[in-house]
Amino acid sequence: MSKKALRRLKRAELPKATVALARYLIGKTLVHDLGRVRLAGRIVETEAYLVGDAAAHSFRGETPRNRALFLERGHAYVYFIYGNHFMLNVSAGSHGSGEGVLLRAAEPLQGIERMQTLRGTDVLRDLARGPGRLAEAFAINRKLDGADFCGDGVLWLGSALRPTGTIGVSVRIGITKEAHRPLRFYERGGVFVSGTKALRG
DNA sequence: TATGCGATATTCT
DNA sequence: GAATATCGCATAG
């Protein structure tokens, strides 16, 4: 009961509504297969970016950068920001809507040694706590932009390996527009969740 | 806890 | 050409 088998999630299982998907992904598994090493983590924090949301990259329409955000739900949208960091999103909503879910933090489960190398630290809690760290720990790069999480590729979403705790809701982190909207979801009390103490309770 | 800064792709004007 | 960005780290208090 406590130990379940890891299985790929099918697109049909992903909720069509973006906010529902952001909640749904909490507790699920993020996997990136690198040859003989499998990087896997339990997603503990996400944020939703919606249509008509000035904080969403799709707000001003489709561009070469945000193109992947407009794909059918369940595709990867990867971009580079602040001169140093990649971010990993899951395209969401109806096809062409430009909605997405940002993966903000995960609890490392498998391939931890490789993650430590990629991150340059051995502190488990700091491996994927925060979106830039998560992308670095999971070896996310521009080549994965547009990848299908629901195909048979190396980057995919897996079922939950243990029961999911209570889900908390807060405002999103690090944005200046639409900063009041409660679109951040996280596992309450989780030590692998980013932000200050108040943002983890 | 709270600043302050790096380092750069992309978009806007 | 300039502004801005879904951040992380170091350092100070």
Coordinates of all heavy atoms in Angstrom, one line a residue, chain C:
Chain C
dG1 P 23.1 50.0 -31.3 OP1 24.4 49.6 -31.2 OP2 22.2 50.3 -32.4 O5' 22.4 50.3 -29.9 C5' 22.2 51.6 -29.6 C4' 21.0 51.7 -28.6 O4' 19.9 51.0 -29.1 C3' 21.3 51.2 -27.2 O3' 20.7 52.1 -26.3 C2' 20.7 49.9 -27.2 C1' 19.4 50.1 -28.0 N9 19.0 48.8 -28.6 C8 19.7 47.9 -29.4 N7 19.0 46.9 -29.8 C5 17.7 47.1 -29.2 C6 16.6 46.3 -29.2 O6 16.4 45.2 -29.8 N1 15.5 46.9 -28.5 C2 15.6 48.1 -27.8 N2 14.5 48.5 -27.2 N3 16.7 48.8 -27.8 C4 17.7 48.3 -28.5
dA2 P 21.2 52.0 -24.8 OP1 21.4 53.4 -24.2 OP2 22.2 51.0 -24.6 O5' 19.8 51.5 -24.1 C5' 18.6 52.3 -24.4 C4' 17.5 51.6 -23.6 O4' 17.1 50.4 -24.3 C3' 17.8 51.2 -22.2 O3' 16.8 51.6 -21.3 C2' 18.1 49.7 -22.3 C1' 17.1 49.3 -23.4 N9 17.5 48.1 -24.2 C8 18.8 47.9 -24.6 N7 18.9 46.7 -25.3 C5 17.6 46.3 -25.3 C6 17.0 45.1 -25.9 N6 17.7 44.2 -26.6 N1 15.7 44.9 -25.7 C2 15.0 45.8 -25.0 N3 15.4 47.0 -24.4 C4 16.7 47.1 -24.6
dA3 P 16.8 51.4 -19.8 OP1 16.3 52.6 -19.1 OP2 18.1 50.7 -19.4 O5' 15.7 50.3 -19.6 C5' 14.4 50.4 -20.4 C4' 13.6 49.2 -20.1 O4' 14.1 48.1 -20.9 C3' 13.6 48.7 -18.7 O3' 12.3 48.4 -18.3 C2' 14.5 47.5 -18.7 C1' 14.3 47.0 -20.1 N9 15.5 46.3 -20.6 C8 16.8 46.7 -20.5 N7 17.7 45.9 -21.1 C5 16.9 44.9 -21.7 C6 17.2 43.8 -22.5 N6 18.4 43.5 -22.8 N1 16.2 43.1 -22.9 C2 14.9 43.4 -22.5 N3 14.5 44.4 -21.8 C4 15.6 45.2 -21.4
dT4 P 11.9 48.1 -16.8 OP1 10.6 48.8 -16.5 OP2 13.0 48.4 -15.9 O5' 11.7 46.6 -16.9 C5' 10.9 46.0 -17.9 C4' 11.1 44.5 -18.0 O4' 12.4 44.2 -18.6 C3' 11.2 43.9 -16.6 O3' 10.2 42.9 -16.6 C2' 12.6 43.3 -16.5 C1' 12.9 43.1 -18.0 N1 14.4 43.0 -18.3 C2 14.8 42.1 -19.2 O2 14.0 41.3 -19.7 N3 16.1 42.1 -19.5 C4 17.1 42.9 -18.9 O4 18.2 42.8 -19.2 C5 16.6 43.9 -18.0 C7 17.5 44.9 -17.4 C6 15.2 43.9 -17.7
dA5 P 9.6 42.2 -15.2 OP1 8.1 42.3 -15.3 OP2 10.3 42.7 -14.0 O5' 10.0 40.7 -15.5 C5' 9.7 40.1 -16.7 C4' 10.5 38.9 -16.9 O4' 11.9 39.2 -17.1 C3' 10.5 37.9 -15.6 O3' 10.5 36.6 -16.0 C2' 11.9 38.2 -15.0 C1' 12.7 38.5 -16.2 N9 13.9 39.3 -16.0 C8 14.1 40.3 -15.1 N7 15.2 40.9 -15.1 C5 15.9 40.2 -16.1 C6 17.2 40.3 -16.6 N6 18.1 41.2 -16.2 N1 17.6 39.5 -17.6 C2 16.7 38.6 -18.0 N3 15.4 38.4 -17.6 C4 15.1 39.2 -16.6
dT6 P 9.1 35.9 -16.0 OP1 9.2 35.0 -17.1 OP2 8.0 36.8 -15.8 O5' 9.2 35.0 -14.7 C5' 9.1 35.5 -13.4 C4' 8.9 34.3 -12.4 O4' 7.7 33.5 -12.7 C3' 10.1 33.3 -12.3 O3' 10.1 32.7 -11.0 C2' 9.7 32.3 -13.3 C1' 8.2 32.2 -13.1 N1 7.4 31.8 -14.3 C2 7.2 30.5 -14.6 O2 7.6 29.6 -13.8 N3 6.5 30.3 -15.7 C4 6.0 31.2 -16.6 O4 5.4 30.8 -17.6 C5 6.3 32.5 -16.3 C7 5.8 33.6 -17.2 C6 7.0 32.8 -15.2
dC7 P 11.2 33.3 -10.0 OP1 11.1 32.4 -8.8 OP2 10.9 34.7 -9.8 O5' 12.6 33.2 -10.7 C5' 13.2 32.1 -11.1 C4' 14.6 31.7 -10.5 O4' 15.5 32.8 -10.7 C3' 14.7 31.4 -9.1 O3' 15.4 30.2 -9.0 C2' 15.3 32.5 -8.4 C1' 16.2 33.1 -9.5 N1 16.5 34.5 -9.4 C2 17.8 35.0 -9.4 O2 18.7 34.2 -9.6 N3 18.0 36.3 -9.3 C4 17.0 37.1 -9.2 N4 17.3 38.4 -9.1 C5 15.7 36.7 -9.2 C6 15.5 35.4 -9.3
dG8 P 15.8 29.4 -7.7 OP1 15.7 28.0 -8.0 OP2 15.0 29.9 -6.6 O5' 17.3 29.7 -7.4 C5' 18.3 29.3 -8.3 C4' 19.7 29.7 -7.9 O4' 19.8 31.1 -7.8 C3' 20.0 29.2 -6.4 O3' 21.3 28.7 -6.5 C2' 19.8 30.4 -5.6 C1' 20.2 31.5 -6.5 N9 19.5 32.8 -6.3 C8 18.2 33.0 -6.0 N7 17.8 34.2 -5.9 C5 19.0 34.9 -6.2 C6 19.2 36.3 -6.3 O6 18.4 37.2 -6.1 N1 20.6 36.6 -6.6 C2 21.5 35.6 -6.8 N2 22.7 36.1 -7.1 N3 21.3 34.3 -6.8 C4 20.0 34.0 -6.5
dC9 P 22.1 28.1 -5.2 OP1 22.9 27.0 -5.7 OP2 21.1 27.9 -4.1 O5' 23.1 29.3 -4.8 C5' 24.1 29.7 -5.7 C4' 24.8 30.9 -5.2 O4' 23.9 32.0 -5.1 C3' 25.3 30.6 -3.7 O3' 26.7 31.0 -3.7 C2' 24.4 31.6 -2.9 C1' 24.0 32.6 -3.9 N1 22.8 33.3 -3.5 C2 22.7 34.7 -3.6 O2 23.7 35.3 -3.9 N3 21.5 35.3 -3.3 C4 20.5 34.6 -3.0 N4 19.3 35.2 -2.7 C5 20.5 33.2 -2.9 C6 21.6 32.6 -3.2
dA10 P 27.5 30.6 -2.4 OP1 28.6 29.7 -2.8 OP2 26.6 30.2 -1.2 O5' 28.1 32.0 -2.0 C5' 28.4 33.0 -3.1 C4' 28.4 34.4 -2.4 O4' 27.1 34.9 -2.3 C3' 29.0 34.3 -1.0 O3' 30.0 35.4 -1.0 C2' 27.9 34.5 -0.1 C1' 26.9 35.3 -1.0 N9 25.5 35.1 -0.6 C8 24.8 34.0 -0.3 N7 23.6 34.1 -0.1 C5 23.3 35.5 -0.2 C6 22.2 36.2 0.0 N6 21.0 35.7 0.3 N1 22.3 37.6 -0.2 C2 23.5 38.1 -0.5 N3 24.7 37.4 -0.7 C4 24.5 36.1 -0.5
dT11 P 31.0 35.5 0.3 OP1 32.3 35.7 -0.2 OP2 30.7 34.4 1.3 O5' 30.4 36.8 1.0 C5' 29.9 37.9 0.2 C4' 29.0 38.8 1.1 O4' 27.7 38.2 1.2 C3' 29.5 38.9 2.6 O3' 29.5 40.2 3.0 C2' 28.5 38.0 3.3 C1' 27.2 38.3 2.5 N1 26.1 37.4 2.7 C2 24.8 37.9 2.8 O2 24.6 39.1 2.8 N3 23.9 37.0 3.0 C4 24.0 35.6 3.1 O4 23.1 34.9 3.3 C5 25.4 35.1 3.0 C7 25.7 33.7 3.1 C6 26.4 36.0 2.8
dA12 P 30.2 40.6 4.4 OP1 31.3 41.6 4.1 OP2 30.5 39.4 5.2 O5' 29.1 41.5 5.1 C5' 28.4 42.5 4.3 C4' 27.1 42.8 4.9 O4' 26.2 41.7 4.8 C3' 27.2 43.2 6.4 O3' 26.3 44.3 6.7 C2' 26.7 41.9 7.1 C1' 25.6 41.4 6.1 N9 25.2 40.0 6.2 C8 26.1 38.9 6.2 N7 25.5 37.8 6.3 C5 24.1 38.1 6.5 C6 23.0 37.4 6.6 N6 23.0 36.0 6.7 N1 21.8 38.0 6.7 C2 21.8 39.4 6.7 N3 22.8 40.2 6.5 C4 24.0 39.5 6.4
dG13 P 26.5 45.0 8.2 OP1 26.5 46.4 7.9 OP2 27.6 44.3 9.0 O5' 25.1 44.6 8.9 C5' 23.8 44.8 8.3 C4' 22.7 44.2 9.1 O4' 22.7 42.8 8.9 C3' 23.0 44.4 10.6 O3' 21.7 44.9 11.3 C2' 23.4 43.1 11.1 C1' 22.6 42.2 10.2 N9 23.1 40.8 10.1 C8 24.5 40.4 9.9 N7 24.6 39.2 9.8 C5 23.4 38.6 10.0 C6 22.9 37.3 9.9 O6 23.6 36.2 9.8 N1 21.5 37.2 10.1 C2 20.7 38.2 10.2 N2 19.4 38.0 10.3 N3 21.1 39.5 10.2 C4 22.4 39.6 10.1

